[in-house]
Amino acid sequence: MRRFLRWKVRNQLAATFLAVLLPLLAAEVVAVEWLRTSLRASAERELTNVVDQLYRLCELQRAISPGGGPAGGGDAELLRAAFLNTRVGASGYAYCMDDSGRLIIHPAKEGQDISDSRDAAGFPFVRAICAEALRLHPGEAGTIRYPWRNPEIGEERDRTKILKFRYYAPWRWIIAAGSYEEEVYEDVARLGWYTAPLLAMSVLLLGTLTLVMNRLITRPLHRVSEAASRMAGGDSSAEADIGESGQEFSALAYSFNTMAAEIRGQKEELERLVEERTEALRESGERYRSLVQSTVDGIATADPKGTITFINRGLEEMLGYSKEETLGRRVWDFYPAGLDEARKIMALLREQGNLINYEMELIGKKGVVPVRTSASILRDRDGREQGTLAIFSDITAQKTLEADLRRAQAHLIQTMKLRALGDLVSGVAHEINNPLMASTTLLHVMDASACPAECPSRNRLHLLRRCNERIARIVDHLREFSRQTELRRELIDVNGPLESALLLSGQQLMNLQIAVERELASGLAPVLGDAGRLEQVFLDIIANARDAMERQENHKVLTIRTMPAALEGAPAVAAEISDTGPGIPADALGKIFEPFFTTKEAGKGTGLGLAIAHGILAEHGGDIDVPRTGPKGTTFRIVLPCAPAQ
Amino acid sequence: MAKRILLVDDDELILLSLQDLFAAAGLSVTTVGSGAEALRVAGAEPYDIVVLDVVMPGMSGLEVCRKLREIPAYARVPILLLTAKSEEADRRRGLEAGADSFLAKPFDPGRLVELVKESLPSA
């Protein structure tokens, strides 16, 4: 049943049609067959009746003339007429013969012995009749059928003859009546003629009905199905036109079309929405792109293997490399620490999930760029790593600022330190001064008093005076260092104090066989300053140069240069004093301007000379530094701002 | 008769050493340790020259100098100031206070003796 339900409606209808038709046909065939049988039986009974009537006529004849044979009298003639006038169907007739096969009464062959007659098949049917008749019970009729052709009347085919016969024993007559079977069964045959068209008609009718039903049901269904297919194929305007159909189909089509309209509406709404969203997405994408591209920060993405997949304009400008030069390369190609840095970053990323304000460096076309980096791992919806995203801020300016700030801070600290130290030193110098004065005075008195040359204390007195002199020098230096008085400010040529410093040191330099080379520029712009103080600075630096070369065997050259320069963008004058000494040790270089720092042997220097020089230059708004130092010598450079133009 | 010199300083070591120095130079030396005492001593008897330390607790050398000039007997007595500072401003203040000469510490003892002898009115 379930299988049947899955069939096409057309086939279901056909099957239903057959299911109805076949039993109907069978019933009709059975009915016709039954009718035929009964008709045939009735026809045969009629034949039997004819034989029976003739039999009773014979009995009547014998009763009328007992002992008489069939041949005598007028009554016999009556019996004879009865036989000859008996007609069965169109061509059937009755006859009688004796039991030896001689015809007694026969329409055509009376008196003939037909015992040897054979049917169309060659069977001696007369003998069979005779033999059969003798075996019949009284009152019983026999029947024989045999094929027969009567060539005398031009018959061309065999036809079955049916013969009913009885045996009238008193006369030993065989009474027979027969005819062609088809004539006997004429009604039966006629029945066939009538029923066949009837059957055909009913089959035709049922068939037509089925076809019509099929058409009525399946065609609208087909139309609806076709429209659905069209719609499925993308034709949203598809509608089921089923024309004039049953109410159910109209309802179905209506429902379908309503549904189709609904779907069409939804589809249009959907398309509108998609368009809207697409536009929004495009706008947001555009916004995002311009945001990413226009930001000054550098943005880059890399795949999980570290291959750069995207860089924005900001990063291109920051590094000086174009997209073409960066895409496809590995991120660590741009890290000064290379792969190690990349591994460190990835480890931090995996540990913390993201990286915020991580300071590092990137290799740009023009050098290393300090950057602050924020990075995160890119993941897809399932959480799988898709790569990394990093945002780089160029902190070059900040680094420069920080360095400046550090320098300014250091300078400030140095200044404050020096001031505090100055106060301290000033106090110490003052306190030392009086006892020193007393000591010196007493030594002067003792020396002045006549001390005999042989006096053993004379050398000791001399030694004591030297001690006092050194103390006095130190105190002097300390006082100079701590001096907090106003600077004399006048327009001077830097070459002036430099020349006088050289003049004052000249004898000492000569004694140590130090050659002096001067390259003093003429016509230098004047500076506003204290010539005496500047002379002190130059003296101190020349003394340092001298001390540096003191132990050298040869090539002792002191070079003095002056030249125009710039200080913080403003015009300035520079003086450079170079020696050919062994240079300042690297660990000492940072401390040479600190007070009390000295590399000289005890008693040779107070460690205050350069600190004082630094202080004096600071007061002048100038600067002192060591641009060059090494095994070939040291250069001190002093820069003083030019006086503002009057 | 030896010239009389009055030394005023708050530092005992200075006083003792200078006393030795001027005594060796043939002067009659009186020492006092404060400005107030100096005024009292100077008022009691006359001195030929006064050597004053500028920086002293209580009354400063400059103040003592001014007060001495107010005493008629000291109007023309030479006054020498010993100072740790030798700056122009100090020099000017000293002159205003009525001092005749200055010497900055640390000084050469021989120079001090010369200066004192030069300042003394010739006998």
Side-chain angles (χ1 to χ4, degrees):
Chain A
M1 187 66 190
R2 188 166 291 170
R3 204 161 163 191
F4 171 76
L5 286 175
R6 279 203 295 268
W7 290 2
K8 283 185 175 178
V9 173
R10 191 187 309 171
N11 295 343
Q12 285 175 343
L13 277 172
T16 310
F17 162 67
L18 284 176
V20 172
L21 188 66
L22 285 176
L24 212 68
L25 271 175
E28 195 164 338
V29 167
V30 167
V32 167
E33 197 51 44
W34 174 79
L35 204 61
R36 193 193 297 272
T37 311
S38 60
L39 275 174
R40 188 178 293 174
S42 137
E44 282 181 26
R45 215 164 27 249
E46 209 177 305
L47 209 56
T48 311
N49 281 344
V50 170
V51 174
D52 285 349
Q53 273 174 6
L54 289 172
Y55 186 92
R56 271 192 296 277
L57 277 174
C58 289
E59 277 182 327
L60 201 63
Q61 179 67 37
R62 190 168 162 254
I64 293 167
S65 33
D75 302 334
E77 275 311 307
L78 276 172
L79 184 66
R80 185 178 151 76
F83 267 95
L84 292 177
N85 285 329
T86 298
R87 279 287 176 276
V88 180
S91 58
Y93 53 91
Y95 64 94
C96 68
M97 59 182 176
D98 60 19
D99 52 10
S100 64
R102 191 174 57 82
L103 288 169
I104 297 162
I105 302 167
H106 190 276
K109 298 175 183 171
E110 235 170 56
Q112 284 182 21
D113 185 352
I114 57 164
S115 58
D116 287 335
S117 287
R118 289 169 189 268
D119 64 15
F123 175 71
F125 68 97
V126 176
R127 266 188 235 280
I129 292 171
C130 291
E132 178 72 19
L134 289 174
R135 279 198 299 273
L136 289 171
H137 299 289
E140 192 187 3
T143 306
I144 189 168
R145 284 182 175 81
Y146 58 92
W148 187 253
R149 188 196 304 185
N150 202 353
E152 293 137 31
I153 55 169
E155 286 180 350
E156 288 175 357
R157 61 183 180 93
D158 297 341
R159 289 195 291 177
T160 305
K161 268 205 159 171
I162 179 167
L163 197 71
K164 291 280 180 182
F165 54 93
R166 286 187 74 167
Y167 186 59
Y168 188 57
W171 289 347
R172 297 173 66 186
W173 277 11
I174 295 169
I175 301 159
S179 178
Y180 285 114
E181 209 175 34
E182 57 185 50
E183 284 173 12
V184 174
Y185 297 156
E186 195 179 12
D187 287 344
V188 177
R190 201 166 292 138
L191 183 73
W193 297 343
Y194 287 123
T195 54
L198 213 64
L199 254 174
M201 260 178 69
S202 60
V203 167
L204 202 71
L205 209 68
L206 259 170
T208 311
L209 197 67
T210 307
L211 279 176
V212 168
M213 287 295 285
N214 194 12
R215 215 172 147 74
L216 279 177
I217 294 171
T218 60
R219 200 175 56 175
L221 280 179
H222 187 67
R223 289 264 172 93
V224 172
S225 145
E226 203 178 61
S229 294
R230 278 214 311 277
M231 187 182 282
D235 178 7
S236 61
S237 66
E239 267 195 25
D241 177 18
I242 58 166
E244 295 284 319
S245 291
Q247 273 182 11
E248 290 87 347
F249 289 115
S250 296
L252 174 65
Y254 178 76
S255 298
F256 175 83
N257 288 339
T258 309
M259 181 187 79
E262 182 75 14
I263 289 175
R264 197 157 49 236
Q266 282 180 359
K267 193 179 166 197
E268 278 164 13
E269 176 67 14
L270 212 62
E271 279 170 354
R272 194 184 59 74
L273 263 175
V274 166
E275 204 167 314
E276 232 173 68
R277 294 287 147 84
T278 308
E279 178 65 16
L281 208 61
R282 199 185 59 73
E283 273 176 18
S284 117
E286 200 67 43
R287 216 166 27 235
Y288 154 79
R289 228 189 326 279
S290 82
L291 202 68
V292 164
Q293 286 299 356
S294 62
T295 176
V296 292
D297 281 344
I299 299 175
T301 61
D303 69 11
K305 288 181 175 170
T307 306
I308 297 168
T309 50
F310 168 82
I311 77 162
N312 74 336
R313 244 188 337 258
L315 193 54
E316 283 181 275
E317 280 164 18
M318 197 183 290
L319 296 180
Y321 286 118
S322 68
K323 263 194 182 65
E324 291 70 27
E325 289 170 300
T326 45
L327 293 186
R329 289 179 65 186
R330 299 301 176 97
V331 286
W332 52 82
D333 291 347
F334 298 90
Y335 297 161
L339 194 54
D340 287 346
E341 179 84 279
R343 288 204 177 113
K344 192 171 147 199
I345 290 171
M346 277 319 286
L348 282 171
L349 269 177
R350 296 221 170 88
E351 190 185 311
Q352 309 171 356
N354 59 12
L355 203 63
I356 294 169
N357 293 340
Y358 176 80
E359 286 195 9
M360 56 181 286
E361 289 178 331
L362 292 178
I363 300 172
K365 206 166 216 166
K366 288 179 183 165
V368 166
V369 183
V371 291
R372 185 174 294 127
T373 307
S374 294
S376 55
I377 296 179
L378 295 172
R379 294 179 191 281
D380 67 8
R381 243 180 250 181
D382 301 325
R384 282 187 295 261
E385 282 186 19
Q386 296 291 292
T388 45
L389 164 76
I391 300 172
F392 305 98
S393 300
D394 187 343
I395 52 170
T396 306
Q398 186 193 327
K399 285 279 168 195
T400 312
L401 211 65
E402 276 173 8
D404 286 352
L405 200 65
R406 262 199 302 278
R407 260 200 302 279
Q409 221 165 20
H411 188 254
L412 190 68
I413 287 169
Q414 179 74 358
T415 307
M416 285 171 71
K417 208 157 74 178
L418 289 179
R419 180 155 304 158
L421 196 68
D423 291 345
L424 176 72
V425 160
S426 167
V428 169
H430 184 77
E431 290 306 318
I432 289 174
N433 220 15
N434 280 356
L436 179 64
M437 274 312 308
S439 171
T440 306
T441 305
L442 290 172
L443 280 172
H444 178 82
V445 175
M446 289 169 84
D447 196 38
S449 354
C451 188
E454 63 278 15
C455 175
S457 294
R458 202 180 164 85
N459 283 340
R460 294 189 192 116
L461 285 174
H462 184 66
L463 205 58
L464 274 173
R465 202 165 50 240
R466 279 182 61 197
C467 287
N468 276 9
E469 275 166 11
R470 191 193 289 181
I471 294 171
R473 198 162 61 242
I474 293 170
V475 169
D476 208 37
H477 249 142
L478 288 175
R479 277 150 50 86
E480 182 63 41
F481 171 71
S482 66
R483 188 172 8 214
Q484 290 167 357
T485 49
E486 284 294 306
L487 215 58
R488 230 177 254 118
R489 287 188 185 276
E490 48 203 5
L491 286 174
I492 52 166
D493 182 347
V494 171
N495 289 340
L498 197 53
E499 293 261 29
S500 52
L502 268 177
L503 197 67
L504 285 171
S505 325
Q507 190 56 51
Q508 285 179 314
L509 294 172
M510 219 144 54
N511 291 346
L512 289 166
Q513 293 168 323
I514 295 172
V516 176
E517 290 185 3
R518 307 155 181 253
E519 297 173 23
L520 302 184
S522 56
L524 283 173
V527 301
L528 207 56
D530 188 324
R533 299 281 188 91
L534 291 177
E535 183 189 296
Q536 189 190 342
V537 169
F538 294 133
L539 267 173
D540 203 81
I541 294 171
I542 290 168
N544 281 343
R546 182 199 65 211
D547 291 348
M549 294 186 283
E550 189 179 2
R551 299 213 174 152
Q552 236 159 290
E553 290 295 315
N554 45 29
H555 192 60
K556 297 191 266 193
V557 183
L558 178 77
T559 310
I560 313 280
R561 289 191 199 88
T562 52
M563 65 208 80
L567 186 66
E568 286 165 8
V573 175
E576 286 186 0
I577 299 166
S578 308
D579 63 49
T580 53
I584 302 168
D587 56 345
L589 192 59
K591 301 175 187 162
I592 56 172
F593 295 108
E594 283 183 12
F596 304 114
F597 179 82
T598 181
T599 56
K600 295 173 187 172
E601 58 207 78
K604 191 92 190 181
T606 58
L608 284 169
L610 284 175
I612 292 165
H614 188 267
I616 291 170
L617 283 163
E619 281 179 293
H620 280 84
D623 198 10
I624 176 168
D625 66 348
V626 183
R628 286 181 297 277
T629 184
K632 289 185 175 176
T634 303
T635 298
F636 275 83
R637 179 182 168 91
I638 289 143
V639 187
L640 287 160
C642 292
Q646 293 294 312
Chain B
M1 183 175 164
K3 298 281 182 188
R4 294 167 57 84
I5 180 166
L6 179 61
L7 294 177
V8 186
D9 201 311
D10 60 315
D11 193 323
E12 192 194 8
L13 286 178
I14 293 284
L15 283 181
L16 292 175
S17 62
L18 289 185
Q19 184 176 33
D20 202 3
L21 178 72
F22 288 119
L27 296 171
S28 164
V29 185
T30 304
T31 58
V32 292
S34 72
E37 204 186 343
L39 288 176
R40 192 176 52 78
V41 170
E45 45 188 316
Y47 287 89
D48 300 308
I49 186 164
V50 180
V51 175
L52 278 170
D53 183 26
V54 172
V55 183
M56 285 188 296
M59 200 179 287
S60 79
L62 291 175
E63 203 176 340
V64 174
C65 183
R66 263 195 299 276
K67 291 247 162 74
L68 282 176
R69 289 296 181 216
E70 286 168 11
I71 303 170
Y74 284 90
R76 279 197 291 276
V77 171
I79 297 176
L80 195 151
L81 291 178
L82 294 179
T83 171
K85 303 160 186 174
S86 59
E87 291 302 318
E88 198 64 32
D90 296 316
R91 196 175 282 268
R92 199 177 60 242
R93 271 201 294 275
L95 288 173
E96 278 167 5
D100 297 292
S101 53
F102 306 85
L103 200 63
K105 291 179 183 173
F107 48 80
D108 176 34
R111 171 86 190 112
L112 178 60
V113 174
E114 276 173 30
L115 202 62
V116 167
K117 282 186 171 171
E118 281 168 14
S119 305
L120 280 173
S122 46

